[in-house]
Amino acid sequence: MRRLVAIAGILILALLWVRPLLAAEVRPQRLVITHVTIIDTRTGQLLKDRNVVIVADRIVAVEPATSARLQRGDVLVNGRGKYLIPGLWDCHVHLSWTTESALPLLIALGITDVRDVGGKLTELEDWRARIANGSLVGPRIMRVGPILNGKSFNAYQFVPGSAEATRGAVRLLTFLGMDEIKVHRRMPRDWYYAAIDEAKKLRIDIVGHIPIEVTPEEASNAGQYMIEHTETLFEGTFAANLTDVQVPGAIRAWLATDKPDHLFSVFAKNGTWVDPTVAGYLEVADMIDPAVPPNPRYRYVAASQRKQFLEQQRQHPMSPEEVHAWREHMNLLVDVTARMHQRHVRLVAGTDAAGPRLVGFSLHRELEVLVQAGLSNLEALEAATLNPAIAFHREKDLGTIEPGKLADLVLLDANPLERIDNSQHINSVIAAGRLFSRGDLNGLMARAERLAKTH
């Protein structure tokens, strides 16, 4: 018996001695960005010479580099002379149209979160699961869809059939875990109000186009949470009796009245968000204009989508007058967005990336367009970082660089508050705590180009 007690004592002492070693062995490895300047997206303040400590997928410390203590085994990223911003959002994409080739490209361009507003749910769920387990590189994906409409124009639109059935569709999509409910322009008026009412009961946000039977002011007053595209203001009741060539003149005349200020004051009062997506429309103006040479970046667009677009252009060419009217119309949307900003309408940055249009690059172009519309560089940056976190109820996890937030970060070689196009000078990206160096990002872009050739 004494012998057994002695052996037990020795075992206990051994365990007490080994236990700290075991704890040290399983301690998560720290990723530390050292001596970096952090851009505070709430204030625009530059927080200089900071260390940002990341464990797993979370920021655990932000501290002055002079007083910070590094640990053995830390993975270090030299941030000296560089600027750290939260990961960027593209708030309006259609990934099933862009195909899987878009996923690595988005990360390579600093876009760590996207909001998919109409795609194939099974495909999106597969990508989300693979991204979460690390077997696929891509951004975090919000799901908004399938799109509810009065007539289906593509595989990602669903026609409920009646106002009561629309209520059922809203309930089902909420039950399935959609982040928001999207409506489109051909939804009948009574279906639309049924969707709004049911969504309020379920506390889920209604977003999307403004139906052609509803005015923008009515949509805001009804409680539509976010309006997608500045263009949707002119799709329905506004342009009902106008040809495409006449629309630019009508928008110009409208801008010369007090109607825009009244409408946008209503938006601001009601807290209606707007996702302008103007860069995507300006891109289309270049795509349909034979005088504009093809952008070499289209090598990153899925070959199937490029082929389909070229075939459509061949079958339905636009006249020079129509091309000119389209470009004029799209340029006017910048002026309309400027008026929204002047009336303090809340904006987020999105692109409507789908089909043959560029993905990723277009988000950086949207930031430039927002600055063209009168936003400061900080306000444009907020539209792709802090504002989406607020709008999509993710401010607890995203939008700023603070302890406890998810480690979605972009390390830049230049200050975007001095020039907004400095958002494109990407040194490294951290997505869900995973570090991608410049070399890694180049590899992701090469992978995206290869995938685009086969998709």
Side-chain angles (χ1 to χ4, degrees), residues 39-101:
I39 295 180
D40 185 338
T41 47
R42 286 198 182 98
T43 65
Q45 183 181 0
L46 297 179
L47 307 177
K48 298 182 179 181
D49 200 29
R50 296 297 201 272
N51 280 11
V52 178
V53 182
I54 298 163
V55 175
D57 65 347
R58 294 277 172 176
I59 300 168
V60 299
V62 177
E63 51 198 3
T66 52
S67 59
R69 288 189 176 183
L70 300 177
Q71 299 178 5
R72 182 182 300 175
D74 283 349
V75 176
L76 304 181
V77 177
N78 185 4
R80 197 180 296 276
K82 299 177 177 60
Y83 299 83
L84 193 66
I85 63 171
L88 299 169
W89 280 78
D90 189 331
C91 298
H92 194 120
V93 299
H94 296 275
L95 295 176
S96 291
W97 270 321
T98 62
T99 79
E100 187 176 330
S101 65

Side-chain angles (χ1 to χ4, degrees), residues 87-88 101-114 131 136-140 359-360 364 408-410 426 428-432 434-438 440-442 444-445 447-448:
L88 299 169
S101 65
L103 300 176
L105 184 63
L106 286 161
I107 293 296
L109 296 171
I111 299 163
T112 57
D113 290 84
V114 298
I131 290 167
L136 179 68
V137 174
R140 192 174 290 105
V359 65
H364 293 279
D408 286 357
L409 305 165
V410 183
I426 298 173
S428 307
V429 172
I430 296 93
R434 182 177 176 183
L435 172 65
F436 295 90
S437 67
R438 183 63 259 174
D440 297 328
L441 300 179
N442 292 340
L444 291 179
M445 296 189 75
R447 184 191 306 177

Side-chain angles (χ1 to χ4, degrees), residues 89-92 275-280 348-353 362-363 366 383:
W89 280 78
D90 189 331
C91 298
H92 194 120
D275 185 1
T277 70
V278 178
V348 296
T351 65
D352 201 17
S362 53
L363 187 278
E366 181 75 2

